[in-house]
Amino acid sequence: MLKCQQAAELISLQHDRPLSLLEYWQLRLHLLVCSPCKHYRKQLYTIELAMEHLRQDQGRDKR
């Protein structure tokens, strides 16, 4: 089983590249039992979404 630090690294890494099949399943299993890591993943997703909205808004302002 992954430790939280390892899970956090995989959560961050999956935004840069696809996880291997082993990494994917290790992370999935960890997230089934670890609420703090699930929360961390949701926070990163929210930040990523906000950044995308900002980029889109900046693109509209330059027109």
Side-chain angles (χ1 to χ4, degrees):
M1 176 76 95
L2 292 177
K3 294 181 180 179
C4 290
Q5 182 177 355
Q6 295 167 311
E9 289 174 16
L10 288 178
I11 290 167
S12 296
L13 187 62
Q14 71 183 1
H15 294 280
D16 298 327
R17 67 160 176 87
L19 299 180
S20 71
L21 194 57
L22 178 61
E23 291 170 330
Y24 172 81
W25 283 108
Q26 287 177 325
L27 181 58
R28 291 275 305 211
L29 288 172
H30 183 86
L31 292 173
L32 284 174
V33 296
C34 185
S35 295
C37 286
K38 272 192 268 192
H39 185 68
Y40 175 68
R41 183 177 69 167
K42 186 176 180 180
Q43 286 176 326
L44 280 186
Y45 177 74
T46 301
I47 291 168
E48 190 174 278
L49 246 138
M51 293 300 293
E52 182 59 34
H53 285 288
L54 282 173
R55 279 188 222 108
Q56 289 175 0
D57 288 345
Q58 286 178 347
R60 284 188 209 129
D61 290 344
K62 291 181 181 180
R63 291 182 196 171

